[in-house]
Amino acid sequence: KVFDDYALQAIYYSDCLSTFERANYPYTFKKLSEFSPVVITGIFGSELMRTFQNVSIGYMVNENFVKLNFARDKKSVLASIIKHIKENSYYNPALFDNCDEIVEYIYEECFKKYEGLNDNQRFYLSLLNEGARKYFGGEVHMERFYATNRFPFLDDEFVEFVFKSPFSGIYTNPLKPTINQRLNSQLFYSYIIKKYRPKLLNYTTDHGYPPKYLLSKAPILQIGPCFVSKKIKHRLTGYREFKTEEWSENFYRKHLFKKTINDSIFSKRLQDDFTSGLWKKRRIDFARAASLKLYLELWQTKKYMPVQS
């Protein structure tokens, strides 16, 4: 019932570092602010211990950077990326005029920072430097209107442990991890549970199976049937979780195309893709452009400006 209001808050309060799809953040923070003025985000680390699985979504690391990082001929890949963006962007093509050299310079400087490292090491160090800030930046910004955030942290000993652990994400293939690589990183948590709180091994997690199955002699044979059973159960019971496309479509229809402010920034493709339904195949790109358009409109109307005490 209140999704639209908090979706607009997510855009505005995050300074457009986040898209409207994180509407649950300000909603939760407002609820919790009645209980506590402080938010503890927690330790950023599990993303490094396991095989990284967020490449195609692009929340933490830009997908184009990943392609470029693992490319052998970086110059030609960068040229094709720039060309693709110009031809398929939701922004006015004129905005990209004469920017090729600037983009090339930025990428060259970025890679110089990690000279001498292999692809995986460079990728994970960039994840630590840029990804963590990008991922948590929007969250910390939008929280500040409801609570004080104790910023997520990494302790030095944990970082050293990550680099010494042969099963951690830095030693796996983030683009096409093997089944063993995925299992090995999860095994770490199972062993920790076994050592410190073994009774928790029997509890089924949201993955659909208990951690003890990972420690069995044939984990795939144990996990497989559980996974299939979970899917069948959801289908039979009509289980519905948050349907991003469904909620997004209603949100766009109500808010996105009613105003014409800053339309010179955006291409006609934004409206055309929504009308044809193609936006669903480019959901994240579309959400970013839509969120920026709405952010600029909110900024000019000052609808969500907080009252100064």
Side-chain angles (χ1 to χ4, degrees):
K1 292 178 181 177
V2 295
F3 174 77
D4 286 21
D5 182 36
Y6 286 96
L8 293 170
Q9 285 189 42
I11 296 169
Y12 191 73
Y13 289 166
S14 72
D15 296 317
C16 210
L17 290 172
S18 178
T19 67
F20 69 90
E21 292 181 2
R22 288 194 177 184
N24 58 311
Y25 282 59
Y27 175 77
T28 304
F29 296 137
K30 185 176 182 181
K31 292 282 187 185
L32 291 177
S33 66
E34 299 169 9
F35 168 76
S36 171
V38 175
V39 173
I40 299 176
T41 301
I43 299 176
F44 172 73
S46 64
E47 292 84 353
L48 302 173
M49 289 307 300
R50 56 180 170 78
T51 302
F52 192 66
Q53 300 172 49
N54 205 3
V55 171
S56 60
I57 298 175
Y59 280 131
M60 290 179 69
V61 179
N62 184 288
E63 186 179 1
N64 288 325
F65 172 77
V66 178
K67 289 178 182 175
L68 196 60
N69 180 62
F70 290 97
R72 299 278 69 87
D73 184 355
K74 290 183 171 32
K75 195 166 182 66
S76 65
V77 171
L78 179 58
S80 69
I81 288 172
I82 293 172
K83 182 174 183 291
H84 178 78
I85 289 174
K86 283 182 176 179
E87 293 173 352
N88 296 278
S89 174
Y90 286 120
Y91 303 98
N92 186 336
L95 296 175
F96 298 100
D97 289 346
N98 306 314
C99 71
D100 294 30
E101 289 184 7
I102 297 172
V103 174
E104 287 177 15
Y105 173 76
I106 290 170
Y107 272 109
E108 282 173 10
E109 289 300 303
C110 182
F111 281 111
K112 275 181 188 175
K113 222 162 67 168
Y114 305 112
E115 248 175 349
L117 300 175
N118 65 41
D119 292 343
N120 269 16
Q121 290 172 330
R122 180 172 55 240
F123 173 76
Y124 270 84
L125 282 175
S126 67
L127 183 63
L128 279 167
N129 281 274
E130 284 88 21
R133 185 186 70 242
K134 180 183 175 187
Y135 185 74
F136 289 109
E139 180 180 335
V140 171
H141 273 238
M142 73 175 83
E143 286 168 12
R144 70 192 191 277
F145 292 100
Y146 295 118
T148 300
N149 185 292
R150 298 307 180 197
F151 195 77
F153 62 90
L154 280 165
D155 63 62
D156 294 341
E157 289 182 354
F158 182 78
V159 174
E160 287 179 11
F161 177 71
V162 169
F163 277 82
K164 289 176 181 175
S165 307
F167 54 84
S168 67
I170 195 168
Y171 302 115
T172 63
N173 186 339
L175 294 180
K176 293 180 180 178
T178 65
I179 292 175
N180 276 340
Q181 285 176 344
R182 287 184 183 276
L183 285 177
N184 285 340
S185 58
Q186 296 296 333
L187 268 172
F188 167 70
Y189 298 105
S190 298
Y191 282 121
I192 292 292
I193 293 170
K194 183 180 179 181
K195 181 175 175 63
Y196 294 103
R197 194 60 64 89
K199 68 178 181 181
L200 294 180
L201 288 172
N202 298 312
Y203 289 92
T204 300
T205 69
D206 60 349
H207 291 290
Y209 58 86
K212 67 179 181 181
Y213 286 177
L214 287 166
L215 302 177
S216 64
K217 291 183 178 179
I220 296 296
L221 295 179
Q222 299 266 31
I223 293 169
C226 291
F227 181 78
V228 173
S229 174
K230 178 186 174 185
K231 292 290 184 184
I232 293 172
K233 184 179 178 182
H234 281 180
R235 180 163 292 189
L236 292 175
T237 58
Y239 173 81
R240 291 185 79 249
E241 56 186 20
F242 176 71
K243 302 290 184 183
T244 306
E245 286 83 359
E246 181 185 318
W247 289 39
S248 299
E249 189 166 6
N250 294 332
F251 178 76
Y252 291 142
R253 189 170 285 111
K254 289 181 195 172
H255 302 281
L256 187 58
F257 301 107
K258 288 189 174 180
K259 299 178 183 178
T260 56
I261 303 172
N262 303 301
D263 274 358
S264 61
I265 296 174
F266 303 92
S267 71
K268 190 171 175 290
R269 183 186 293 271
L270 195 71
Q271 173 85 65
D272 292 344
D273 276 14
F274 181 73
T275 304
S276 67
L278 284 174
W279 69 274
K280 294 177 182 178
K281 294 181 179 178
R282 301 181 60 193
R283 184 173 63 81
I284 300 301
D285 287 340
F286 192 92
R288 287 198 183 108
S291 295
L292 177 59
K293 187 175 189 298
L294 290 168
Y295 171 75
L296 294 171
E297 290 168 1
L298 288 168
W299 180 254
Q300 289 174 328
T301 60
K302 300 290 191 288
K303 179 179 178 181
Y304 286 101
M305 282 293 282
V307 177
Q308 298 296 323
S309 58

